[in-house]
Amino acid sequence: MYVVATAGHVDHGKSTLVERLTGMWPDRLAEEQRRGLTIDLGFAWTTLDGREVAFVDVPGHERFVANMLAGVGPVPAIMFVVAATEGWMPQSDEHLDALRALGVRHLLVVISKSDLADPAPALAQVSQRLPDVPVVLGADLEAVRAAVVSLVDRLPPPDRDADVRLWVDRSFTVRGAGTVVTGTLAAGTLRVGDELEHAGRRVTIRGLQSLGRDRREVGAIARVAVNVRGVDRRHIGRGDTIRTPGAWLDTAEIDVLLRQPGELHRQLVLHIGSAAVPVHVRPLGAAGARLRLTRPLPLRVGDIGLLRDPGEHRIAAGVEVLDVRPPALRRRGAARERGEELATGHVRPPPCARITELRAMGFDADGTRIGEWVVDSDWWTQRGHQMTVALNDWTAGHDIAAGMPLEALRRQAGLPAAELLLALLEGTGLRVADGAVRRPDAELPARVDKAVRTVEEWLAAEPFRAPEADELADLNLGPRELAAAIRAGRLIRIADGVVLGPDAADRAAKILATLPQPFAVAEAKRALNTTRRVAVPLLEHLDARKITRRGADGTRTLLPQER
């Protein structure tokens, strides 16, 4: 199927031409038929030389330009109508400005009412404004049909595997069926039973119609009527979308490239798809701008729209969306640099984003893959450097801590997710334990090292005489200092406040091997020349390491050790 929209000044015969081509009068509202004036969008269809062609007929009056843009926005081809009786008129200019702003390249001009007036003046006016566009006389209906066929044959093939984003131009209720929305499907494929998304909620396709016939499946490009379950007709209307779930990001702030910009006011209306949304405009250089939308829209890089001043009935500029998640402009000179970047027509994708987010934004997933993330290699290298600096600074102020908390390091490194920090730590030699990061070769600060050396001297003389609490306090070895010494492998902890040398278990096993087996705690205490305060937890430590086994009667037996 092909879809063609009309354009042109009011009362130049657009609807009459559509009716002559299709046999269907496109105006559907009673007021339109009573006044003989197209107010809203009209629809008709026919088959031309084996090609199904749907027409979106738009109003020409200046008061209904917003309706005209809602119909033209998603449509790739235009049949522009100029009456021979009046020639080129003011709304002809506004419609042409709109088409140029939207970047429409596939046009056909029809000179209507050529049987009522000499078409030569109108032909000359069209030739001056659209020198490369084919022109036919509306009185020659066969020539018009042939020109429409030629027009649609020049259209690029649609991407029927693309994500769906159907801009709604009508919504209504059908008795017994529920909510129905219509629109021009520009890309993708709709199927009965598909789940789509509207305003963050899932909706299901109950039925499809195209060109007045029920369908199980409709591929782009096509006019479609979609019966949806899950949304009330009052909550969906023109300018809304139904779309592939999770494939689009709603955004209320975008950076755009301005095409054919005129005078830009701060307050304009953005027309994109079938939506018309008031925006605040912040110019960025001569060719770029940041738009703050009054309501979010599901936009992607590459989307085309236009800015219009409805008060002055003029097109202010065409816009091409370059970024749907633009960066903050707080740094001095950032706005100027952003303007220069926008002027090139391209912006870099985020240096770090999930693959699904890049797809929803309209960027290619170019970069280094890390799980579900894509990162820029230079940015990744910078994060590694920033992580090292942050760890050094933190360690300098926390010389006996177990390590820098992972979450604190993630924030300091500028990473959006913990899994990225773990990937960044790979190959660095840094250790992660108990939610903290530390260097494996971290040395004890001098004050702690000196105190631990004193304990080591005591234990060298009496290996199983653990220092008492007051002795440790005199050395300023509190729980944090002892923990640091244990992490460094200088001491082992066998109970609260009870520390021994790192080889205490092996030395104890050699001594206990000289005792008759099994042996009691008192025998072990005498053999090790220690106190019950040390002997009991030391034996439990040996049990845990499967050096000894405790019997039901409380005695121990030394177990054979693998050599």
Side-chain angles (χ1 to χ4, degrees), residues 259-301:
R259 299 188 180 277
Q260 300 175 324
E263 183 182 356
L264 290 179
H265 297 314
R266 292 288 182 179
Q267 304 296 330
L268 296 170
V269 174
L270 172 67
H271 293 267
I272 195 161
S274 64
V277 179
V279 297
H280 176 270
V281 182
R282 177 183 180 181
L284 296 173
R290 177 158 296 180
L291 307 182
R292 189 165 67 244
L293 286 62
T294 54
R295 70 178 178 91
L297 292 176
L299 303 179
R300 279 187 177 176
V301 172

Short mmCIF file of all heavy atoms in Angstrom, two decimals, residues 259-301:
data_model
loop_
_atom_site.label_atom_id
_atom_site.label_comp_id
_atom_site.label_asym_id
_atom_site.label_seq_id
_atom_site.Cartn_x
_atom_site.Cartn_y
_atom_site.Cartn_z
N ARG A 259 16.45 23.67 10.29
CA ARG A 259 16.50 23.73 8.83
C ARG A 259 15.67 24.92 8.36
O ARG A 259 14.52 25.09 8.78
CB ARG A 259 15.97 22.43 8.23
CG ARG A 259 16.79 21.21 8.64
CD ARG A 259 16.36 19.98 7.87
NE ARG A 259 17.13 18.81 8.24
CZ ARG A 259 18.33 18.51 7.75
NH1 ARG A 259 18.88 19.31 6.87
NH2 ARG A 259 18.97 17.43 8.13
N GLN A 260 16.26 25.74 7.50
CA GLN A 260 15.60 26.93 6.97
C GLN A 260 14.99 27.77 8.10
O GLN A 260 13.80 28.10 8.08
CB GLN A 260 14.51 26.54 5.97
CG GLN A 260 15.04 25.76 4.78
CD GLN A 260 13.93 25.28 3.87
OE1 GLN A 260 12.85 24.93 4.31
NE2 GLN A 260 14.20 25.28 2.58
N PRO A 261 15.80 28.11 9.11
CA PRO A 261 15.23 28.84 10.25
C PRO A 261 14.87 30.28 9.88
O PRO A 261 15.58 30.95 9.13
CB PRO A 261 16.36 28.81 11.28
CG PRO A 261 17.61 28.68 10.47
CD PRO A 261 17.23 27.85 9.28
N GLY A 262 13.74 30.72 10.40
CA GLY A 262 13.35 32.11 10.29
C GLY A 262 13.51 32.76 11.65
O GLY A 262 14.43 32.45 12.40
N GLU A 263 12.59 33.64 12.00
CA GLU A 263 12.64 34.30 13.30
C GLU A 263 12.12 33.34 14.37
O GLU A 263 11.01 32.83 14.27
CB GLU A 263 11.77 35.57 13.27
CG GLU A 263 11.82 36.35 14.57
CD GLU A 263 10.93 37.57 14.54
OE1 GLU A 263 10.34 37.83 13.46
OE2 GLU A 263 10.80 38.25 15.57
N LEU A 264 12.97 33.08 15.36
CA LEU A 264 12.60 32.14 16.42
C LEU A 264 12.17 32.90 17.67
O LEU A 264 12.92 33.72 18.20
CB LEU A 264 13.78 31.23 16.77
CG LEU A 264 14.21 30.19 15.72
CD1 LEU A 264 15.40 29.40 16.24
CD2 LEU A 264 13.06 29.26 15.38
N HIS A 265 10.95 32.65 18.11
CA HIS A 265 10.50 33.16 19.40
C HIS A 265 10.79 32.11 20.46
O HIS A 265 11.05 30.95 20.17
CB HIS A 265 9.00 33.47 19.36
CG HIS A 265 8.64 34.55 18.39
ND1 HIS A 265 9.33 35.72 18.30
CD2 HIS A 265 7.64 34.61 17.47
CE1 HIS A 265 8.79 36.49 17.37
NE2 HIS A 265 7.76 35.83 16.84
N ARG A 266 10.73 32.53 21.69
CA ARG A 266 10.95 31.59 22.79
C ARG A 266 9.84 30.56 22.89
O ARG A 266 10.06 29.44 23.30
CB ARG A 266 11.06 32.36 24.12
CG ARG A 266 12.30 33.23 24.22
CD ARG A 266 13.54 32.39 24.40
NE ARG A 266 14.74 33.21 24.54
CZ ARG A 266 15.96 32.73 24.74
NH1 ARG A 266 16.13 31.43 24.81
NH2 ARG A 266 16.99 33.53 24.84
N GLN A 267 8.63 30.97 22.53
CA GLN A 267 7.47 30.07 22.66
C GLN A 267 6.91 29.78 21.27
O GLN A 267 6.41 30.67 20.60
CB GLN A 267 6.39 30.71 23.54
CG GLN A 267 6.87 31.11 24.93
CD GLN A 267 7.29 29.91 25.76
OE1 GLN A 267 6.77 28.81 25.60
NE2 GLN A 267 8.24 30.13 26.66
N LEU A 268 7.03 28.53 20.84
CA LEU A 268 6.51 28.08 19.55
C LEU A 268 5.80 26.75 19.75
O LEU A 268 5.75 26.22 20.87
CB LEU A 268 7.65 27.95 18.53
CG LEU A 268 8.38 29.24 18.14
CD1 LEU A 268 9.62 28.93 17.32
CD2 LEU A 268 7.45 30.18 17.37
N VAL A 269 5.28 26.19 18.66
CA VAL A 269 4.64 24.88 18.71
C VAL A 269 5.44 23.92 17.84
O VAL A 269 5.75 24.23 16.69
CB VAL A 269 3.18 24.94 18.23
CG1 VAL A 269 2.58 23.54 18.16
CG2 VAL A 269 2.34 25.81 19.18
N LEU A 270 5.80 22.78 18.43
CA LEU A 270 6.49 21.72 17.68
C LEU A 270 5.45 20.79 17.08
O LEU A 270 4.62 20.21 17.79
CB LEU A 270 7.41 20.94 18.61
CG LEU A 270 8.06 19.68 18.00
CD1 LEU A 270 9.04 20.05 16.89
CD2 LEU A 270 8.76 18.86 19.09
N HIS A 271 5.48 20.64 15.76
CA HIS A 271 4.64 19.68 15.06
C HIS A 271 5.54 18.53 14.63
O HIS A 271 6.49 18.72 13.87
CB HIS A 271 3.99 20.32 13.83
CG HIS A 271 2.98 21.36 14.16
ND1 HIS A 271 1.63 21.09 14.28
CD2 HIS A 271 3.12 22.69 14.41
CE1 HIS A 271 0.98 22.20 14.58
NE2 HIS A 271 1.86 23.19 14.67
N ILE A 272 5.23 17.33 15.11
CA ILE A 272 6.02 16.16 14.76
C ILE A 272 5.09 14.95 14.82
O ILE A 272 4.32 14.81 15.76
CB ILE A 272 7.23 16.01 15.70
CG1 ILE A 272 8.26 15.03 15.16
CG2 ILE A 272 6.83 15.67 17.13
CD1 ILE A 272 9.64 15.19 15.80
N GLY A 273 5.13 14.11 13.78
CA GLY A 273 4.13 13.08 13.69
C GLY A 273 2.76 13.74 13.58
O GLY A 273 2.56 14.67 12.79
N SER A 274 1.82 13.28 14.40
CA SER A 274 0.51 13.95 14.46
C SER A 274 0.38 14.86 15.67
O SER A 274 -0.70 15.37 15.95
CB SER A 274 -0.60 12.90 14.49
OG SER A 274 -0.52 12.12 15.68
N ALA A 275 1.49 15.06 16.39
CA ALA A 275 1.46 15.84 17.63
C ALA A 275 1.72 17.31 17.35
O ALA A 275 2.47 17.68 16.43
CB ALA A 275 2.49 15.30 18.61
N ALA A 276 1.14 18.14 18.18
CA ALA A 276 1.39 19.58 18.19
C ALA A 276 1.60 19.98 19.64
O ALA A 276 0.64 20.02 20.42
CB ALA A 276 0.23 20.35 17.56
N VAL A 277 2.85 20.26 20.02
CA VAL A 277 3.18 20.47 21.43
C VAL A 277 3.86 21.82 21.60
O VAL A 277 4.88 22.10 20.94
CB VAL A 277 4.12 19.35 21.93
CG1 VAL A 277 4.50 19.57 23.38
CG2 VAL A 277 3.47 17.98 21.74
N PRO A 278 3.34 22.71 22.47
CA PRO A 278 4.05 23.96 22.75
C PRO A 278 5.43 23.67 23.34
O PRO A 278 5.60 22.74 24.15
CB PRO A 278 3.15 24.64 23.79
CG PRO A 278 1.78 24.05 23.56
CD PRO A 278 2.04 22.62 23.16
N VAL A 279 6.41 24.45 22.91
CA VAL A 279 7.78 24.25 23.37
C VAL A 279 8.41 25.59 23.73
O VAL A 279 8.02 26.64 23.21
CB VAL A 279 8.65 23.55 22.31
CG1 VAL A 279 8.14 22.16 22.02
CG2 VAL A 279 8.72 24.37 21.02
N HIS A 280 9.39 25.53 24.63
CA HIS A 280 10.25 26.67 24.91
C HIS A 280 11.53 26.46 24.12
O HIS A 280 12.14 25.40 24.17
CB HIS A 280 10.55 26.78 26.40
CG HIS A 280 11.51 27.88 26.73
ND1 HIS A 280 12.87 27.69 26.76
CD2 HIS A 280 11.30 29.19 27.03
CE1 HIS A 280 13.47 28.83 27.08
NE2 HIS A 280 12.53 29.74 27.25
N VAL A 281 11.94 27.47 23.37
CA VAL A 281 13.07 27.36 22.46
C VAL A 281 14.28 28.08 23.05
O VAL A 281 14.20 29.27 23.40
CB VAL A 281 12.74 27.96 21.08
CG1 VAL A 281 13.93 27.80 20.13
CG2 VAL A 281 11.49 27.30 20.49
N ARG A 282 15.41 27.37 23.13
CA ARG A 282 16.67 28.00 23.51
C ARG A 282 17.64 27.84 22.34
O ARG A 282 18.16 26.74 22.10
CB ARG A 282 17.27 27.35 24.75
CG ARG A 282 18.62 27.95 25.13
CD ARG A 282 19.25 27.24 26.32
NE ARG A 282 20.54 27.83 26.66
CZ ARG A 282 21.33 27.41 27.65
NH1 ARG A 282 20.94 26.38 28.40
NH2 ARG A 282 22.48 27.99 27.88
N PRO A 283 17.89 28.91 21.57
CA PRO A 283 18.82 28.79 20.45
C PRO A 283 20.21 28.40 20.94
O PRO A 283 20.68 28.89 21.97
CB PRO A 283 18.81 30.20 19.83
CG PRO A 283 17.53 30.81 20.28
CD PRO A 283 17.28 30.25 21.65
N LEU A 284 20.87 27.55 20.17
CA LEU A 284 22.25 27.15 20.44
C LEU A 284 23.03 27.36 19.16
O LEU A 284 23.04 26.51 18.27
CB LEU A 284 22.32 25.69 20.90
CG LEU A 284 21.64 25.35 22.23
CD1 LEU A 284 21.63 23.85 22.48
CD2 LEU A 284 22.34 26.07 23.39
N GLY A 285 23.66 28.51 19.03
CA GLY A 285 24.32 28.86 17.79
C GLY A 285 23.29 29.23 16.73
O GLY A 285 22.11 29.42 17.00
N ALA A 286 23.76 29.30 15.48
CA ALA A 286 22.90 29.73 14.39
C ALA A 286 22.05 28.60 13.84
O ALA A 286 21.04 28.84 13.18
CB ALA A 286 23.75 30.33 13.27
N ALA A 287 22.45 27.35 14.07
CA ALA A 287 21.77 26.23 13.42
C ALA A 287 21.20 25.21 14.38
O ALA A 287 20.66 24.19 13.94
CB ALA A 287 22.75 25.53 12.47
N GLY A 288 21.30 25.46 15.68
CA GLY A 288 20.82 24.47 16.64
C GLY A 288 19.92 25.10 17.69
O GLY A 288 19.86 26.33 17.84
N ALA A 289 19.21 24.27 18.40
CA ALA A 289 18.35 24.76 19.48
C ALA A 289 18.05 23.62 20.43
O ALA A 289 18.08 22.44 20.06
CB ALA A 289 17.05 25.35 18.93
N ARG A 290 17.76 23.99 21.66
CA ARG A 290 17.24 23.05 22.64
C ARG A 290 15.77 23.37 22.85
O ARG A 290 15.41 24.52 23.11
CB ARG A 290 18.00 23.13 23.96
CG ARG A 290 17.44 22.22 25.04
CD ARG A 290 18.48 21.92 26.11
NE ARG A 290 19.60 21.18 25.55
CZ ARG A 290 20.66 20.77 26.26
NH1 ARG A 290 20.72 21.04 27.55
NH2 ARG A 290 21.63 20.10 25.69
N LEU A 291 14.95 22.33 22.72
CA LEU A 291 13.51 22.50 22.88
C LEU A 291 13.06 21.81 24.16
O LEU A 291 13.38 20.63 24.39
CB LEU A 291 12.75 21.89 21.69
CG LEU A 291 13.18 22.33 20.29
CD1 LEU A 291 12.29 21.67 19.25
CD2 LEU A 291 13.15 23.84 20.15
N ARG A 292 12.33 22.54 24.99
CA ARG A 292 11.73 21.96 26.19
C ARG A 292 10.24 21.82 25.92
O ARG A 292 9.52 22.82 25.78
CB ARG A 292 12.02 22.81 27.41
CG ARG A 292 11.60 22.13 28.71
CD ARG A 292 12.19 22.80 29.92
NE ARG A 292 11.64 24.13 30.11
CZ ARG A 292 12.34 25.26 30.04
NH1 ARG A 292 13.63 25.20 29.76
NH2 ARG A 292 11.77 26.43 30.24
N LEU A 293 9.77 20.57 25.85
CA LEU A 293 8.40 20.28 25.49
C LEU A 293 7.49 20.37 26.71
O LEU A 293 7.90 20.02 27.82
CB LEU A 293 8.29 18.88 24.87
CG LEU A 293 8.81 18.66 23.44
CD1 LEU A 293 10.31 18.92 23.33
CD2 LEU A 293 8.51 17.24 23.00
N THR A 294 6.24 20.78 26.48
CA THR A 294 5.29 20.84 27.59
C THR A 294 4.74 19.47 27.94
O THR A 294 4.12 19.32 28.99
CB THR A 294 4.13 21.78 27.25
OG1 THR A 294 3.54 21.37 26.00
CG2 THR A 294 4.61 23.21 27.14
N ARG A 295 4.95 18.49 27.08
CA ARG A 295 4.63 17.11 27.45
C ARG A 295 5.60 16.19 26.72
O ARG A 295 6.03 16.48 25.60
CB ARG A 295 3.18 16.74 27.13
CG ARG A 295 2.83 16.62 25.66
CD ARG A 295 1.38 16.20 25.50
NE ARG A 295 0.95 16.10 24.11
CZ ARG A 295 1.01 14.99 23.38
NH1 ARG A 295 1.49 13.87 23.91
NH2 ARG A 295 0.58 14.99 22.13
N PRO A 296 5.96 15.06 27.33
CA PRO A 296 6.94 14.17 26.70
C PRO A 296 6.37 13.51 25.44
O PRO A 296 5.17 13.23 25.34
CB PRO A 296 7.22 13.12 27.78
CG PRO A 296 6.73 13.72 29.06
CD PRO A 296 5.59 14.62 28.68
N LEU A 297 7.27 13.23 24.50
CA LEU A 297 6.92 12.51 23.28
C LEU A 297 7.95 11.40 23.04
O LEU A 297 9.12 11.55 23.42
CB LEU A 297 6.91 13.45 22.06
CG LEU A 297 5.82 14.52 21.99
CD1 LEU A 297 6.05 15.41 20.78
CD2 LEU A 297 4.44 13.89 21.94
N PRO A 298 7.54 10.31 22.38
CA PRO A 298 8.49 9.24 22.07
C PRO A 298 9.25 9.57 20.79
O PRO A 298 8.81 9.26 19.68
CB PRO A 298 7.58 8.01 21.88
CG PRO A 298 6.30 8.58 21.38
CD PRO A 298 6.16 9.94 22.01
N LEU A 299 10.41 10.21 20.92
CA LEU A 299 11.18 10.68 19.78
C LEU A 299 12.50 9.95 19.68
O LEU A 299 13.00 9.40 20.65
CB LEU A 299 11.42 12.19 19.90
CG LEU A 299 10.16 13.05 20.03
CD1 LEU A 299 10.53 14.51 20.16
CD2 LEU A 299 9.21 12.83 18.85
N ARG A 300 13.06 9.99 18.46
CA ARG A 300 14.35 9.37 18.21
C ARG A 300 15.22 10.30 17.39
O ARG A 300 14.72 11.20 16.70
CB ARG A 300 14.20 8.05 17.44
CG ARG A 300 13.82 6.87 18.30
CD ARG A 300 13.85 5.58 17.49
NE ARG A 300 13.56 4.43 18.33
CZ ARG A 300 13.45 3.19 17.87
NH1 ARG A 300 13.61 2.94 16.58
NH2 ARG A 300 13.20 2.19 18.70
N VAL A 301 16.52 10.04 17.45
CA VAL A 301 17.45 10.76 16.59
C VAL A 301 17.03 10.55 15.14
O VAL A 301 16.75 9.43 14.71
CB VAL A 301 18.88 10.24 16.82
CG1 VAL A 301 19.84 10.83 15.79
CG2 VAL A 301 19.33 10.57 18.24
#
